[in-house]
């Protein structure tokens, strides 16, 4: 049976595949040209996902361990509300820890996570395109901040939903699904302007 990380990576790769194909289709439509599948573009995009999904999965696990989304409830001490193994059977739902949720959001979306993922994308894509190191460095210097700022239009909201509502083992898939929708949306906007 595959691990949760393997399942998340495969799901992320599937969503990235769909995103790339849809983006290629929308580009052809926008440019009024026939759709021709660019296999090299597709393979580069999916390869980046296969390389970055496992570290991102582990990153989400680390954030959740250090800043759990839900408070761990202490036992009420009421013996009638406890199971045979001592667990509290009270009907209270765990309470969302907003401080931890916003801490994870800030670390992942506003600072470290955004920078790491954007730089990793430019480095990996540059390597896969056989770009010289100077070009990769230039891409990082000139494109990182604009990409992060553009991402602030959707990713902060997606991260808050992810941290507060999505189980940690499914976050990469959820975020890749949001990325799929974001990519389609941005392609449609770009075709209108």
């Amino acid at each position: 049976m595959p691990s949760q990380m393997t399942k998340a990576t495969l799901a992320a790769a599937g969503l990235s595949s769909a995103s790339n194909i849809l983006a290629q289709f929308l580009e052809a439509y926008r440019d009024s040209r026939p759709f021709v599948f660019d296999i090299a573009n597709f393979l580069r995009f999916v390869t980046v996902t296969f390389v970055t999904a496992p570290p991102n999965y582990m990153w989400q696990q680390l954030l959740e361990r250090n800043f759990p989304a839900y408070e761990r409830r202490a036992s009420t001490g009421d013996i009638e509300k406890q199971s045979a193994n001592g667990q509290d059977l009270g009907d209270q739902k765990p309470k969302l820890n907003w401080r931890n949720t916003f801490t994870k959001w800030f670390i992942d979306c506003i600072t470290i996570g955004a920078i790491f993922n954007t730089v990793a994308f430019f480095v990996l894509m540059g390597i896969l395109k056989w770009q010289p190191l100077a070009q990769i460095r230039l891409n990082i210097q000139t494109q990182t901040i604009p990409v992060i700022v553009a991402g602030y239009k959707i990713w902060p909201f997606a991260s808050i939903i992810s941290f507060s509502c999505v189980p940690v083992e499914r976050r990469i898939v959820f975020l890749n699904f949001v990325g799929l929708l974001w990519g389609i949306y941005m392609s449609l906007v770009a075709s209108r302007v």
Side-chain angles (χ1 to χ4, degrees):
M1 173 157 249
S3 70
Q4 290 294 331
M5 183 168 61
T6 301
K7 289 177 186 178
T9 300
L10 292 172
L15 290 168
S16 289
S17 298
S19 177
N20 184 265
I21 292 167
L22 288 168
Q24 287 189 43
F25 179 78
L26 290 171
E27 270 188 284
Y29 178 79
R30 181 192 65 205
D31 297 343
S32 300
R33 60 177 167 77
F35 173 72
V36 177
F37 182 63
D38 184 343
I39 188 73
N41 183 342
F42 173 82
L43 290 174
R44 280 191 296 267
F45 199 74
V46 174
T47 299
V48 168
T49 299
F50 272 116
V51 172
T52 59
N56 273 299
Y57 181 89
M58 291 184 291
W59 171 247
Q60 292 298 320
Q61 295 287 329
L62 177 71
L63 288 172
E64 190 61 31
R65 270 193 311 276
N66 288 295
F67 307 101
Y70 290 91
E71 295 176 3
R72 297 176 186 106
R73 295 217 176 261
S75 175
T76 61
D78 186 345
I79 209 73
E80 292 178 9
K81 290 186 178 179
Q82 291 182 1
S83 66
N85 64 5
Q87 286 184 320
D88 191 13
L89 295 177
D91 56 355
Q92 296 179 350
K93 286 186 174 182
K95 184 179 175 188
L96 180 64
N97 185 320
W98 285 103
R99 181 177 182 190
N100 283 355
T101 299
F102 282 109
T103 300
K104 284 188 289 192
W105 168 78
F106 184 78
I107 293 169
D108 186 48
C109 191
I110 303 299
T111 60
I112 298 169
I115 293 167
F116 173 79
N117 280 306
T118 305
V119 170
F121 178 83
F122 288 125
V123 169
L124 291 169
M125 200 56 78
I127 290 169
L128 292 170
K129 288 182 175 183
W130 296 92
Q131 292 177 336
L133 187 57
Q135 180 63 48
I136 294 171
R137 186 179 301 119
L138 181 65
N139 291 342
I140 292 168
Q141 290 172 342
T142 61
Q143 298 300 313
T144 298
I145 298 301
V147 167
I148 290 172
V149 169
Y152 286 163
K153 295 173 184 170
I154 185 79
W155 294 114
F157 307 106
S159 291
I160 290 294
I161 292 168
S162 170
F163 290 136
S164 60
C165 303
V166 179
V168 66
E169 67 274 4
R170 295 199 175 117
R171 285 189 191 147
I172 298 302
V173 177
F174 171 77
L175 294 172
N176 272 281
F177 180 71
V178 173
L180 169 79
L181 297 175
W182 177 249
I184 293 169
Y185 171 76
M186 289 307 292
S187 293
L188 291 172
V189 168
S191 71
R192 289 185 300 206
V193 292

